[in-house]
Amino acid sequence: MKLDAYLELSKGWLIDHTSVYDLARSTERAMQHDYVVPKNPTWDDGPCLGSWNGTERIQAAVPLSIKTSLEAGKAAELAMGSNYAGHPTGKTPISFLDGNSPRVGAVIARAGIVVQFELWKDYARLVSYPFNKKQMKGWTFLDKREEPNLEYAINRRNELTHEPMPANDPNMRELVEFCSKLHWLAKMAESYMANKSSN
């Protein structure tokens, strides 16, 4: 995989993760009893649902409800076991990991960071660049920012993969910043390869 191919794949995944977040978070917000749909939404109001025909129609329906997928129903049954019994109204209370919220941003950001690291690691492996702490030992970095950025990326990915507790949840901003660091590291790896081949 060349640098351009890695960057294109990484950017595609980043757009997918942020778009899924926008859809999920806007729906989550519209399901809250006290949600007020912004009349003329600005970037600061997002993500939120809006309407080409005006916000009154959506506001009249707030709070919205959601008809979940068969997969979500099976997941609830698996998670709740015999306690899972559909309510006559069709509303079934779900026990989320962290209280009453599905942690939309945290779940998507965590998955995104792990995916971004794995994409980057595939690229780093192909260009013989270190992607774990053992490989970092004795490595000569071209830029003084490389080592702390690489160490941060490795530590954060490991933490999110091996310590899946809500206390260390990332947010969407961290996902975007993490991805930016990995892109920079990939470009440094490319510079390392160019340096190596010219010597």
Side-chain angles (χ1 to χ4, degrees):
M1 177 185 330
K2 295 193 177 201
L3 178 63
D4 289 345
Y6 155 70
L7 291 173
E8 284 306 305
L9 191 57
S10 173
K11 290 173 189 175
W13 272 100
L14 185 62
I15 294 299
D16 286 353
H17 279 107
T18 53
S19 298
V20 167
Y21 167 76
D22 282 355
L23 291 168
R25 180 63 182 128
S26 355
T27 304
E28 181 184 48
R29 289 176 74 187
M31 292 173 66
Q32 296 168 351
H33 292 284
D34 58 351
Y35 180 63
V36 177
V37 179
K39 287 199 186 292
N40 295 306
T42 66
W43 286 111
D44 294 336
D45 294 319
C48 63
L49 295 176
S51 167
W52 293 109
N53 301 332
T55 58
E56 294 78 17
R57 292 173 141 181
I58 294 176
Q59 189 62 58
V62 169
L64 300 177
S65 64
I66 188 167
K67 171 90 173 114
T68 57
S69 64
L70 290 174
E71 293 79 9
K74 290 294 182 188
E77 189 176 340
L78 178 65
M80 298 170 69
S82 60
N83 295 329
Y84 179 77
H87 192 275
T89 64
K91 299 175 184 174
T92 304
I94 302 291
S95 300
F96 295 108
L97 183 61
D98 194 29
N100 296 321
S101 167
R103 300 172 19 257
V104 168
V107 170
I108 294 170
R110 183 181 291 266
I113 285 172
V114 171
V115 166
Q116 288 293 335
F117 187 87
E118 293 306 312
L119 290 170
W120 176 84
K121 185 170 84 172
D122 285 348
Y123 174 73
R125 183 180 280 131
L126 286 173
V127 295
S128 303
Y129 191 80
F131 55 84
N132 61 39
K133 287 185 178 183
K134 184 178 179 184
Q135 293 172 343
M136 285 177 68
K137 291 180 181 167
W139 186 266
T140 305
F141 292 100
L142 299 176
D143 186 296
K144 66 180 181 181
R145 297 169 294 172
E146 267 179 283
E147 188 172 9
N149 277 319
L150 180 54
E151 192 166 2
Y152 163 77
I154 292 168
N155 287 342
R156 191 61 171 137
R157 178 264 180 201
N158 289 345
E159 181 180 59
L160 294 176
T161 304
H162 303 296
E163 300 171 23
M165 300 308 292
N168 69 355
D169 276 342
N171 58 33
M172 293 303 291
R173 177 171 296 199
E174 184 180 353
L175 166 60
V176 174
E177 289 170 355
F178 188 88
C179 188
S180 178
K181 284 181 194 301
L182 293 180
H183 287 186
W184 183 80
L185 285 167
K187 290 171 186 171
M188 293 308 297
E190 185 83 353
S191 298
Y192 170 79
M193 289 303 294
N195 250 15
K196 190 176 173 187
S197 61
S198 67
N199 290 334

